[in-house]
Amino acid sequence: AEDDRRRGRRIPRSVMVTEGLFYRDTASYTEQVQRYFDVFGRDRVLVIIYDDFKADTAREYRRTLEFLGVDAGFTTDLAVINPNKRSRSTFLRDLLRNPSPWAVHAARLLVPVPAWRARLRAAAERWNTVYFKRPPMKPGLRARLQAEFAPEIGRLGALLGRDLSGWCVSQAA
C-alpha cells in the first residue's frame, strides 16, 4: 500500500503521521545509524539489535546501564508492556475511543458517577481486547522482503561490524 499512501490514498483514519506508513524508508537503518555516529561519535551511540534484546532482555538491559554509566544494581520490571492485540469489536473500540455526543449524554444519564463510568469504560476496553501471538509471516512475502532488503542488511552489518546475514536466510533453512 506504500505507493497508494504516498499519493494520499489507503491511509487508515487513526494514523496521525503518514510518513510512518512508509515502511521501506523506515527500515533504511544504515543511513540513520551512520548519521548518529557522525554527529555523536561511534563510542557515544549504543546500537541494540532486537534479536539480542529478545533473546536476553536482561543482558541487553545491563549492557545499556553500563553504557549510560548508570548503577548496574538499578532494577526494573522487564515484563512485556505492549503485547500483540486486537479488538473483538471495532465498533466498540471506536465508540470507547471517540464517543459521539449522544453516547456521552447517554452514559452520563445511565451512570451518573464519573468514577463508575471510568471503571465501566476500562472494563469494556479489557473485555474488548484480545491478546495473541503474531502469526508468522507468509514464506513468499518473507522471501521477497529478504531479497529486497539484503543489500541494506549487508551495509548495516558492515557499519556495525556484525554479521547480520541470518536476517536474509529463510526460517525453514
Side-chain angles (χ1 to χ4, degrees):
E2 281 184 58
D3 289 338
D4 280 346
R5 289 173 173 169
R6 286 185 194 284
R7 293 181 194 101
R9 297 189 303 254
R10 295 175 61 187
I11 298 172
R13 288 184 306 171
S14 61
V15 170
M16 303 292 263
V17 180
T18 307
E19 290 78 15
L21 298 173
F22 305 150
Y23 305 123
R24 285 173 176 83
D25 294 350
T26 304
S28 298
Y29 292 115
T30 306
E31 181 181 325
Q32 297 174 49
V33 171
Q34 183 64 59
R35 195 174 317 127
Y36 275 89
F37 286 169
D38 291 346
V39 171
F40 299 107
R42 189 178 282 263
D43 61 323
R44 297 186 69 175
V45 176
L46 176 65
V47 176
I48 299 173
I49 303 295
Y50 178 72
D51 297 346
D52 298 339
F53 182 77
K54 185 177 178 187
D56 192 343
T57 306
R59 180 190 66 219
E60 292 303 305
Y61 174 73
R62 286 189 306 275
R63 195 167 74 97
T64 303
L65 291 178
E66 181 180 314
F67 176 79
L68 294 172
V70 175
D71 178 11
F74 183 78
T75 59
T76 189
D77 180 11
L78 298 175
V80 174
I81 299 296
N82 190 14
N84 206 41
K85 60 190 173 215
R86 67 172 179 78
S87 298
R88 294 177 200 266
S89 164
T90 55
F91 173 78
L92 180 57
R93 180 199 64 209
D94 294 345
L95 180 66
L96 291 169
R97 286 183 183 172
N98 190 20
S100 64
W102 69 263
V104 171
H105 181 69
R108 287 180 178 157
L109 287 175
L110 293 170
V111 185
V113 179
W116 294 355
R117 279 197 309 272
R119 284 191 201 117
L120 284 172
R121 182 179 182 276
E125 286 178 352
R126 280 192 307 274
W127 175 86
N128 197 41
T129 303
V130 178
Y131 297 94
F132 64 99
K133 185 176 180 187
R134 186 176 302 276
M137 189 181 295
K138 293 178 182 174
L141 175 60
R142 176 179 290 282
R144 195 171 84 229
L145 291 173
Q146 286 172 325
E148 180 179 337
F149 285 108
E152 170 64 20
I153 292 167
R155 287 189 297 271
L156 181 61
L159 177 64
L160 298 177
R162 180 153 176 195
D163 179 12
L164 301 176
S165 62
W167 293 355
C168 299
V169 178
S170 171
Q171 286 184 329

